[in-house]
Amino acid sequence: MEEILLKFQPGILPHFFIMQTLANLSMANVFGMVPFLNSILGTMLPMLGMVKQDPMKAVFCVALQHFSESIQEYLANLDKAPDPTVRKDTFSSDLFSAYDVLFNNWLQNRECKVRLAVVEALGPMSHLLPNEKLEEQLARLLPGILSLYKKNVEPFYVTKSLCQILESAVSNESRTLEPQIDSVLSVLHTQICSSTEALTQMLVRNRNEILRCFTVLASIFPDHLLSYLLPKMEANNPKVRMGTLIILKQVINSAAPLMEVKKPLILAAVRQPLQDTSNRVRKVMVQLISTMAHHGYLEQPGGEVMVEYLIRLCCLSSETSLRRQNSELEEVTEESVRRISINTLYLISTTVERVTNVLWPYLLEFVVPIQFTNALTPVCKSLVHLGQKKQEEGMEKLLINYNVNVNLPSPHALFTRLLVVSASLDPGDGRNAAALRLLSVMQINIHPTTGQFWEQEIPPLLEYLEGVTEKPHQQPVWEERLLKFLVGSLQAVSDDVWICQLSQEMRKQLNNYNNSALEKNFLYKCIGSSLGACANRELVRKELQELLTSARYQDETDREGLAVAFGICSTHHLDDSLDKLSEFLKSDIMKKNTGIFNLFKDRADGDLEKIKSALILCYGYVAVYAPIELVLPRIESDILRNVFLYFHTKVLGIKVEPKDLTLKLCLIRSISMIGLAICSSSQAGFFHFSRKSELILQLVEFLKLEPVDSLKSALRHRALTACSYLVKLEPPLSDADKAEMINTALSCVFPLPPISTGNVGELHKETLYADTMEALKDLLRGLLFWNITPQGLEEMFRILDPWIRSRKEHERERALEMSSSLLKFYLHKLNVNCVVSFHNLGILIGRLSPRCSDSLASIRQHTLDCIYYLLYIQMRYEGFAPDHKDDQVEKLQTLRDGLLNPDSSVLFHTCFDIAMIIGRRLPPEQLTSLLFNTFTGLSDPDINCSRAATVMINSLLKDRGTILLAKVPDIILRVQEQLEETPEEHVRKAAVQTVYILATQHVKVVVSSLLSSPLPYDSEMVTLWQALSSDPPLTSQVLNILLEKMTGDVPYKECKTSLLSSASGRVATLQPLAATCALREVLSQPKSSPAVQEFYAQLFVALLLRVSCMVGVQLPKNLGATKDRKNTSQNQSSRNLDPCSSAVEALTFMLIQGGSEEVALSVMADGGWEKMKKEDTHHIGVTSLSSSMVRYAGPKLPEIIKKLQLAQSSAYDNQRVTATAFLAQLLQSSELGDFIFLEPLMDNMTSRLKDSNVTVRMLAIRGLGNIASGYPEKVRKHGSQLLTAMISAMDDREDPDHIVTQEAMSNLSRLLPHVQESDMHSFLIHTAIRIRPFFDHEREELRRSSIILFGNLTKFSSGNGEETLFEQIVNGLVTLLLHLQDPKPDVVKACKFALQMCAPSLNNQGLADMFTSHLHPERGLHYGEFMNNVCKHLLLGYPDLIPRLIQTNISYFKSIWPDIRAAAPLFIGIFCY
């Protein structure tokens, strides 16, 4: 301290922080600092005039503020101070001097901080000023401080300083203060009104300081203060009212004794803000009421108004806030006002003892009026607390004197109200529990006899409420418990008068709940229960009549409630209930509404229909609630008769079908309840419901009229529910009626558009659809229950099948969901007494299994469920116990995840696993039906399902196909039919795979089955045959079997061509023909190539011989057509089927797949294939084939030759022709030397010279002749053998057309160049003589061949045969010269060749030279000149021969050729000339 004082010297302005340090020290160490303040102030005051800078002024003000505060604290704690002699006067004069500088000089400073520091200092300094000085300065000080509110100064500091000054003035009992009180109140009131929106801490502090000011003023000027404040209540400005109410609350709390006599005045004044709708005002008003309650204001007359206001605020809701119109932005919501009001009501009820008599039993007045419903919870809670407090004081304190408290509700009204408001499980504010607790407390005041019963029943009810979780689902259960509580209470009362009064009170309260459907409906139930407990029948009838006449029929709640009330009442008053309903039909109300003019006028409200609807519904509830033994005899005679009287309207005796939806719905519900009542009866099995069919027909008609494009009403659901009850009753429906009902039910539900889930707007539709679907399930389950047999199940699925296979996903989904439900029901209800056959298991699984791969995951899941249930049903029929679990079947449940995966590969793998499980659990006799029905799935519109069917079929066939031997033909036929129905590519592939799998197991049966199909093969059958070519081992087996089938029977049979002719023709036999066609299809596939190469020679020979046998063969009349042809184009194709062409095509494909495509192309280019088809050129085509084989497939020929050699001994001429032609051509090629042995072939040809067929003999000769081209060296070796064969052939006597002779002459000409002369000499003359007659033969070929051969024979004229040959030349010379005029150029050429060859043997050089020079093969000849020269040489060289030559010429005078006839005389004439 000494160090600081050294720097604080008189006359020297200290440093800024010195002053600040002194100020802080004074606050930190009051007792240590105050003794020094007198000297410090003495040094400090002279310096005030020296301070010029604003920061220094501010720090001096702070120092004075802190010094004053520390002095006040020191003086307040003198008993603890080190120097108790210190007094206020010690500092008063110094501080007044400082006050004078600060107030008169520095307060006017322009710097805001300086003014603020001055204001903060003046407040504490005012407590230390001399009293007379303060009184003197107060007239200037207060206005000066108040004026600062108008300047830019933080108001908190001004208010704080003002409060300190006011406290100083009041403590001095200043007289100067009273004249200024109005201005002070005005400024402070304005400040509090502006700080109602205290959003910052400083504003809150300022408001608190203002309220301190009012507290100070209230202590000395209470009347003045109230006279100023209370008129402000009438202001329209919410802020003014709020500020006034806040001040009033502060005044009531702080100046309670002074306000005691002012209570009536204050209560009267605060009535005005009660009308204010501002939530801010309401909130402050609630706080004020709470304050008033604690200070006894509510006990005053008019205090009930405050309580009622508080309760009305408890009724506020969010809806009312939306309706309010206020220009200001409300930050205080009505919900917050309601919440604080509720808390306040409960708080004052439980904590303020003095208001107990005010609130009890006054609060009961707010329980029954409907407008206080939202406040019911806090009111009930408060009443419960008050009642319990009264109970503690004694039961007499709890009892209410209704004669004194005339405004209180009656016990009946209170009981009704509390029971009804407790009905809802979801009030949101605990209203139900609060009402029950109040009911328990009020028991003695409601009826004294209910005490024990309520003590037992109400606690369990409250416990149930606490455990409720699923409120919507538990609502009916809760209502049922409350109704039991009501009935039990009435039984406990056992006072018929009281019960009748209660039922009347309940009816009177009905209209209070017009806006609360649940509570009104429950009240109707309570009315029914109370009337049921009432023994006074006259009153019961009167009350029922009142209900009928006062009901608001346009309101669905009233219609429903009225019906329920009648139903419950009928439990004890059935006759009275039915009588009242019948009387109402005849009443004036109904007559007034059923006039003919009312029927035709436009009644938009539909009063009559709504009344009828309610009455019809009443009958339904009566049937449900009334004792069944009393109802059953009256159902058809009374109830249904009156129901249809209400439903049908007659105009001029004509029944008019009503169109009102409500009326229809009520009729349906009434029928449904009647059906339910009968079903629930123990006598249901003995009750014959004669009108059952009529009712079902009416319901079906309703369903038919429902649109399938939308789900707008509950009619569908209600009608299906009613049908589900009716079908359970006797007598059972006829099959036709049952089928119509099922089809109608499915057709009105399944096609409905998909219902989107999760959308708030679609929630109602989603619920309605779920209810409708469940009702449909109940209906079908009820129908199935009549026939829990495999047949009954199949009939149901026969109707469902079109929906299961629908193209629309949502229809399939619903159908599969229904199927799963029905199968689960069937399994649950199945009772097997002996082992029987579930004969249609395969059919059902076959229909369902393809859906395992549906596009919708839910459908796939439902399908798996169906298969699961079906397999367990099968096991039940096999004798297994109901609780038996099979490991294989249970594996299906593990496949669910696979069905959820959209990946097709995963799906198909899962389908395979499912098929394996099915196959292991399916009885063998069911496998065929399963397969056949799964085949139908191949044509499913959903390609994934079609593929799934494929997977199922093929999996089953692979696993268990070995046991299907006897069923293979049927399966093949079914596959073909499926292909005809659905020609899509994926179906074709499936069929191919199926046939392939079957063939791997039963190849012979499969081939036989396919062969039994009609010819020609259609595209489907072609596809199946081609399926057998994909696997080489299988294809080999198939080819082998087909070859056996093709060769195992005669290729054709001789049959009459017509009935009128004896001529016969060849007709192909069916099986070889079918095998040939099948071979064609199998061989047409490139995949068959490996198998073809394996059986190359066998196939080649068999098909080649088949071609030979089919030349000129006709189709059989019966082509195996076991079914109708699909269209005329197929009939046309059957007529175009050619047996030979089929064989040729098969052979062509065989060559292609066997790697010999060049052969096929070469033969085609040569026209060989077409030639093979014709009988006269067949051997030429074969020759072309042989040549091409030699050229392109030589290595394959040895085995072919072996097989063809065997064919040369065939019984069929054509086969011998074909074999001989093919082999004969081979002898022409020298390229086969490495592959064949010539001698066996030559011997074979030689042996064929004795064949009975002339063509075979001809081809054999040709083959021997071909040796000259292919193997000339072999001719010399076997010359004698070859020449003998040729000469023998020329002597063939069974050759009328000389075909063999001609071939022999041609081929002998080819051989002669290569034979030895010695071999020929022995045959020379014979040959020359044998061929001579053919020079003049009519056939050109014979003339040409014989003449050429004659020319060639002249080569062997030397030696012993020269003279003999010369003689033959002379004999043939004239013929050769004359045939130079032959009409055929080839013959002419042959003659030229022969003459040139004969010339050397004539020993006439001139003649020889002339032949050489003139007889050129390609040049023309001047015949006359030529003959002239020839004759000259003959005359000169052979004069002795002229007569012979002339004689020979004479024989040609009758030649058939004109040119030759002319040449003969010319020849003679030249000789004679």
Side-chain angles (χ1 to χ4, degrees), residues 1321 1324-1325 1356-1367:
H1321 281 162
L1324 187 58
I1325 299 303
F1356 301 94
S1357 60
S1358 61
N1360 297 329
E1362 183 176 358
E1363 293 183 2
T1364 306
L1365 184 59
F1366 176 79
E1367 185 65 25

Side-chain angles (χ1 to χ4, degrees), residues 1365-1439:
L1365 184 59
F1366 176 79
E1367 185 65 25
Q1368 294 302 319
I1369 291 173
V1370 171
N1371 290 337
L1373 183 59
V1374 172
T1375 302
L1376 294 174
L1377 289 172
L1378 289 176
H1379 275 280
L1380 288 173
Q1381 289 293 88
D1382 195 280
K1384 301 299 182 182
D1386 288 342
V1387 177
V1388 173
K1389 289 180 182 180
C1391 290
K1392 290 179 179 180
F1393 168 75
L1395 288 171
Q1396 287 179 344
M1397 295 300 290
C1398 291
S1401 299
L1402 292 174
N1403 299 320
N1404 188 327
Q1405 189 60 39
L1407 190 61
D1409 293 340
M1410 191 182 66
F1411 284 172
T1412 301
S1413 61
H1414 288 81
L1415 298 179
H1416 193 281
E1418 302 300 328
R1419 295 177 186 172
L1421 178 67
H1422 193 286
Y1423 186 74
E1425 182 179 351
F1426 174 75
M1427 288 303 295
N1428 187 36
N1429 292 328
V1430 168
C1431 289
K1432 289 180 181 180
H1433 287 290
L1434 289 174
L1435 288 169
L1436 292 175
Y1438 309 102

